Amino acid sequence: MAYDPTENEITRRSFLSRAIVGIGGLIGAVFTGIGGGYFLSPLWHKKKESWVDLGLVKDFREGVPVKVDFTVRKRDAWSTIESRSSAWIVTANLKEFIAFDPKCTHLGCPYRWSDDKKQFLCPCHTATFGIDGKVVSGPPPRPLDRYPTKVVGGHLLILPQKTAEA
Ligand code: FES
């Protein structure tokens, strides 16, 4: 069999072009992996609980419900969404706190505390709730919803995710 230099040349060119394509593909795969990981990573990161600081425990008063406004920051994949919310805070001893969702459990109207009647009053359908959040009268099907609370370093923190009565 005779030596054919063009056949050798074609083989070398073919090898080089395949090597270039292969290296290019490898570089593309690496950048796709890095970029894809960056953009997709929020989807597999565990969501952190977002406790909200409502201030010093000593600033609340025993037996007097107080409505506190606060800002909720939620990370939604690549952005942070802020919204305003509020809670009714009740404490009997400045050690244990109850945080009520501010919407009536009937149809979601905002209710208020009456110092005279010592009850929460919902004006929409004249419901009343006790200081413990239990329904005293009216159509609400369940007690007021609550937010989890905890005291850390003398501050009252709440987790603004509704739970049923504890
Ligand atoms: S919404 Fe409160 S009683 Fe109906």
Side-chain angles (χ1 to χ4, degrees), residues 139-158:
R142 64 180 192 278
L144 295 172
D145 291 324
R146 298 177 178 209
Y147 298 133
T149 63
K150 64 181 178 184
V151 175
V152 178
H155 285 246
L156 173 63
L157 307 185
I158 69 167

Side-chain angles (χ1 to χ4, degrees), residues 104-109 122-127 129 138-140:
C104 176
T105 50
H106 180 222
L107 295 178
C109 284
C122 179
C124 291
H125 309 95
T126 62
F129 300 87

Side-chain angles (χ1 to χ4, degrees), residues 23 38 146 163:
I23 289 168
Y38 173 77
R146 298 177 178 209
T163 59

